[in-house]
Amino acid sequence: MKIAILPGDGIGHEIIAEAVKVLRALELPFETEFADVGGTAYANHGHPLPEATLALAKAADAVLFGAVGDYKYDKLERHLRPEQAILGLRKNLALFANLRPAICHPQLTHASSLKPELVSGLDILIIRELTGDIYFGQPRGRRTAVDGHFPGADEAFDTMRYSRPEIERIAHVAFQAARKRGRKVTSVDKANVLETFQFWRDVVTDVHAQYPDVELDHMYVDNAAMQLVKAPKKLDVVVTGNMFGDILSDEAAMLTGSIGMLPSASLDASNKGLYEPSHGSAPDIAGKGIANPLATILSAAMMLRYSLQQADAADRIESAVTSVLESGLRTVDIASAGTRTVGTREMGDAVVAAIRATTTTITKTTS
Ligand code: IPM
Ligand code: MG
């Protein structure tokens, strides 16, 4: 097994270092290879997604990704900006299915911006289509308007589009995921206004015919945004397009207490994947040693489960994280009265120690 490790920018290096430490503590037979990506890659090689980085990502069995982006690159031409690296990886590796679980850990209920009774036990899986929609639709660009409200004025435009197979394959991912959970899918669209999302609704409904054991409902995106803060526990699997999924997944993340807790997986048709925390590069706190590494550590667990067929190892990481939270350790983003605030490295060390503790127990019981 070969894992490509792309730390990226901002807090990327700090959080990835902890996840790698945790992976090594499992003592599994895998190789790691690091490469630059994002602003760091632009600074070192003149491009946010250098050929060598893309080749490594393609050759590896899985990719563990930190985060990209920094204010200092915001003025670059769009194709050189750090964000192009993650968009380029998604597109080139055909990572069309983005899984973003929003789970409220019982120990963190009070850290949510919502009342504890609304979020305790929350467990939503957002499935975001990741390689289509207005993010990638052509044509796009700037031009002089020939019609519209201001003919002759400068204007910019993007294209929202989805083809039937693109919607079908993400719908299958959602229905299959639902079979392993509460057998309920909510498809989020804007069918009341957009042609693209009326088509989305029609195609999801067609695919649903193959899953009579799964309940399907449809929700407009504005209502979904509202339901997420009104009664989030009514949602189970949510499937939606690229842009709505971008927005709703940040909203859902916040319900769980901190975006610093949430992992994500981006998968291709054969479950090869890129794994990254749902949060970004947080340049404002980079280098301070205070970032929460748990989202990245939990992303490594998802990687073991989905791409590397190591479900037991994934379980061990997840239980270690739970026991660390139980012991009262918190990074500053999830801290509260009665807990002990620790830095990035100390949090990673605590997870490693918890893994070693279970390893010792297992050895003891088997010998
Ligand atoms: C995300 C991010 C990205 C996106 C950016 C960094 C391009 O917000 O993964 O949600 O919009 O998809
Ligand atoms: Mg986003």
Side-chain angles (χ1 to χ4, degrees):
M1 294 187 291
K2 182 165 183 173
I3 306 172
I5 308 221
L6 314 181
D9 307 321
I11 57 171
H13 289 269
E14 301 159 56
I15 54 179
I16 283 285
E18 300 314 308
V20 169
K21 221 155 71 178
V22 168
L23 281 170
R24 295 210 166 118
L26 296 165
E27 295 175 9
L28 293 170
F30 59 72
E31 266 177 65
T32 51
E33 193 172 332
F34 287 71
D36 288 341
V37 75
T40 311
Y42 172 77
N44 293 342
H45 317 279
H47 197 279
L49 182 56
E51 285 293 330
T53 302
L54 181 57
L56 170 67
K58 280 187 172 163
D61 297 297
V63 180
L64 187 63
F65 188 93
V68 290
D70 198 325
Y71 312 123
K72 62 184 178 216
Y73 303 112
D74 282 353
K75 293 266 166 344
L76 289 173
E77 280 175 65
R78 179 165 306 280
H79 74 282
L80 295 176
R81 288 196 206 159
E83 290 77 9
Q84 293 305 310
I86 185 65
L87 296 171
L89 283 164
R90 289 171 184 170
K91 189 174 182 183
N92 281 288
L93 300 181
L95 305 170
F96 71 91
N98 184 209
L99 312 189
R100 296 191 166 180
I103 294 171
C104 189
H105 294 262
Q107 303 83 0
L108 300 181
T109 314
H110 58 271
S112 171
S113 38
L114 294 190
K115 292 185 218 117
E117 63 268 28
L118 288 182
V119 295
S120 87
L122 182 82
D123 182 354
I124 299 177
L125 177 60
I126 298 195
I127 300 188
R128 168 188 178 194
E129 198 291 330
L130 205 57
T131 50
D133 203 353
I134 198 164
Y135 267 59
F136 291 97
Q138 295 291 340
R140 56 186 280 162
R142 292 189 184 209
R143 63 188 171 196
T144 303
V146 291
D147 50 16
H149 294 295
F150 294 99
D154 288 349
E155 70 173 10
F157 62 103
D158 297 276
T159 303
M160 178 176 274
R161 59 190 287 183
Y162 265 122
S163 62
R164 179 176 285 274
E166 283 177 290
I167 304 169
E168 282 173 349
R169 64 183 181 177
I170 195 74
H172 282 293
V173 171
F175 289 123
Q176 279 162 24
R179 279 187 170 160
K180 297 187 189 149
R181 304 168 43 102
R183 293 181 182 264
K184 185 173 169 229
V185 171
T186 302
S187 171
V188 172
D189 62 40
K190 190 70 188 172
N192 49 345
V193 178
L194 300 170
E195 205 59 52
T196 312
F197 276 92
Q198 178 61 57
F199 184 57
W200 172 282
R201 186 176 284 218
D202 296 346
V203 176
V204 171
T205 305
D206 290 347
V207 174
H208 180 229
Q210 298 172 46
Y211 299 87
D213 54 318
V214 178
E215 191 189 323
L216 169 67
D217 61 8
H218 303 275
M219 208 181 263
Y220 297 138
V221 63
D222 47 353
N223 186 26
M226 185 173 77
Q227 294 307 324
L228 270 174
V229 289
K230 189 176 166 212
K233 283 194 266 183
K234 288 196 183 148
L235 298 165
D236 187 338
V237 173
V238 173
V239 64
T240 190
N242 203 345
M243 184 159 69
F244 298 156
D246 177 45
I247 299 165
L248 293 180
S249 61
D250 268 25
E251 189 189 355
M254 212 46 231
L255 302 182
T256 69
S258 170
I259 198 167
M261 291 299 300
L262 294 189
S264 82
S266 304
L267 305 175
D268 75 2
S270 51
N271 280 348
K272 170 166 172 177
L274 179 147
Y275 298 81
E276 56 174 326
S278 288
H279 60 71
S281 55
D284 51 327
I285 59 162
K288 295 190 177 159
I290 58 171
N292 186 346
L294 293 179
T296 316
I297 291 172
L298 292 168
S299 298
M302 285 186 97
M303 172 176 82
L304 291 164
R305 177 168 291 119
Y306 289 101
S307 292
L308 304 177
Q309 274 70 55
Q310 298 279 346
D312 290 349
D315 288 344
R316 285 170 65 202
I317 294 183
E318 285 160 2
S319 330
V321 167
T322 304
S323 80
V324 168
L325 291 175
E326 220 121 66
S327 75
L329 293 197
R330 302 283 187 273
T331 42
V332 64
D333 55 312
I334 50 175
S336 66
T339 62
R340 190 158 80 79
T341 306
V342 296
T344 311
R345 199 173 300 159
E346 217 174 333
M347 186 56 105
D349 288 343
V351 176
V352 167
I355 286 177
R356 297 232 161 94
T358 57
T359 317
T360 328
T361 327
I362 294 167
T363 336
K364 272 186 194 144
T365 38
T366 49
S367 59

